[in-house]
Amino acid sequence: MTIGATVRRLFGRHERTVARLYRSIFIDIGCLSSLIREWMPQAQKILEVGCGEGAITEQLARLYPNADIMAIDITPRVGRLFNGNQDRVQSSK
Ligand SMILES: C[S@@+](CC[C@H](N)C(=O)[O-])C[C@H]1O[C@@H](n2cnc3c(N)ncnc32)[C@H](O)[C@@H]1O
């Protein structure tokens, strides 16, 4: 596991919040996701390559409530932090 992932895990139930705050220094995921939605107002099927632990997947699932989403990554922690409707979101390594 990377140092970043190891340190984040130390925050336990606050991990998602801490990860979001830390990332907001570099990237606004909400803004990025909204831009994607602007560029592509509708989608039925979404393939996210390099989804990591699912932060952007979660945003996409929220912005495209009718889309089926497949999120893939080479990490063994794929989709670990995804917190959303799993009926139409699949993640795979
Ligand atoms: C900067 S992270 C972004 C993670 C996620 N999209 C997010 O924003 O939370 C880049 C991700 O790409 C993944 N990755 C790198 N090479 C890959 C490959 N060949 N196939 C799939 N995923 C890959 C890494 O494991 C990593 O999780």
Side-chain angles (χ1 to χ4, degrees), residues 36-86:
I36 293 171
R37 177 70 198 265
E38 237 177 85
W39 297 327
M40 184 66 65
Q42 291 181 26
Q44 292 179 329
K45 291 182 187 292
I46 297 172
L47 171 64
E48 183 187 3
V49 179
C51 65
E53 296 184 349
I56 291 179
T57 318
E58 201 173 300
Q59 296 290 322
L60 293 173
R62 189 177 54 79
L63 290 170
Y64 296 95
N66 299 314
D68 289 322
I69 302 174
M70 168 60 81
I72 63 172
D73 201 291
I74 54 175
T75 177
R77 299 178 302 282
V78 61
R80 189 178 67 87
L81 294 179
F82 176 83
N83 184 15
N85 183 346
Q86 300 200 348

